[in-house]
């Protein structure tokens, strides 16, 4: 395989699906991909925070991206996975329908997110790219968790460490 002369302009994206849509997340933010396992609920958490899981001793909040993006909740199946990512130095799990592939995305092929008015919340997106015939929405993982939600989770997590999480 030949190396691109502008290797710095290529970013690897882990792609996954939520319903018919395909999303990409910077592979450097991904720590691990694990099959869906039940989590321990956190009282008073936002609706899209499913709870926490114990990942080798670390308590990791888990978000359902379908709920975070305002999509309908779906049954978790054999292809449902939790992608563990680092956001602002902290581990979070994001539940997605299925992981697809790792793609090399050239920076000059990323298009800005079109302004869709107030009807569609695009704050989580860095941009769009097309790979062959597929459109991939590129996520900004740092924006998946609202600051007030992060503060609430930080306050709730010490109490959650007392609860035995399902790993």
């Amino acid at each position: 395989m030949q190396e691109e002369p502008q290797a710095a302009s290529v970013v690897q994206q882990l792609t996954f699906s939520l319903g018919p849509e395909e999303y990409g997340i910077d592979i450097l933010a991904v720590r691990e991909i694990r099959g869906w396992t039940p989590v321990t609920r956190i009282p008073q958490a936002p609706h899209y925070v499913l709870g926490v899981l114990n990942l080798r001793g670390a308590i990791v909040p888990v978000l359902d991206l379908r709920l975070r993006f305002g999509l309908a909740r779906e049954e978790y199946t054999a292809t449902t996975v939790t992608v563990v990512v680092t956001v602002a130095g902290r581990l979070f799990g994001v539940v997605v329908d299925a992981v697809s592939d790792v793609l090399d995305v050239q920076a000059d092929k990323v298009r800005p997110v079109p302004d869709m008015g107030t009807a569609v919340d695009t704050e989580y997106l860095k941009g769009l790219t097309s790979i062959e015939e597929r459109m991939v929405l590129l996520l900004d993982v740092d924006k998946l968790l609202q600051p007030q939600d992060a503060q609430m989770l930080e306050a709730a997590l010490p109490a959650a460490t007392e609860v035995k999480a399902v790993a």
Side-chain angles (χ1 to χ4, degrees):
M1 186 157 80
Q2 285 186 328
E3 208 161 284
E4 299 287 338
Q6 296 273 333
S9 67
V10 175
V11 177
Q12 287 193 314
Q13 298 280 324
L14 174 71
T15 60
F16 59 87
S17 61
L18 291 177
E21 305 301 329
E22 191 168 10
Y23 293 85
I25 195 168
D26 189 331
I27 195 77
L28 296 176
V30 176
R31 292 293 157 249
E32 143 174 5
I33 301 167
R34 46 188 291 133
W36 164 252
T37 55
V39 297
T40 302
R41 300 245 354 121
I42 299 177
Q44 310 296 314
H47 73 284
Y48 60 87
V49 177
L50 299 177
V52 294
L53 63 83
N54 184 336
L55 185 64
R56 293 179 294 283
I59 303 299
V60 178
V62 177
L63 321 176
D64 185 321
L65 274 194
R66 281 182 155 278
L67 300 179
R68 183 70 182 116
F69 294 164
L71 302 172
R73 186 175 198 146
E74 291 286 326
E75 260 320 292
Y76 296 150
T77 67
T79 62
T80 304
V81 296
T82 303
V83 179
V84 179
V85 295
T86 303
V87 178
R90 181 136 181 51
L91 291 176
F92 285 91
V94 290
V95 177
V96 301
D97 293 348
V99 169
S100 309
D101 204 354
V102 175
L103 299 175
D104 290 330
V105 176
Q106 294 184 332
D108 63 349
K109 300 287 187 210
V110 175
R111 301 289 170 245
V113 179
D115 181 9
M116 299 187 194
T118 57
V120 178
D121 192 352
T122 58
E123 72 174 298
Y124 316 114
L125 300 178
K126 280 186 185 176
L128 307 165
T129 191
S130 52
I131 307 292
E132 296 162 10
E133 298 299 312
R134 306 178 340 234
M135 182 63 65
V136 179
L137 301 131
L138 304 178
L139 289 184
D140 186 342
V141 290
D142 293 326
K143 296 192 176 162
L144 288 179
L145 201 65
Q146 297 293 335
Q148 65 273 19
D149 297 339
Q151 291 168 353
M152 182 282 309
L153 283 172
E154 289 296 329
L157 284 178
T161 59
E162 307 297 315
V163 178
K164 192 167 194 112
V166 177

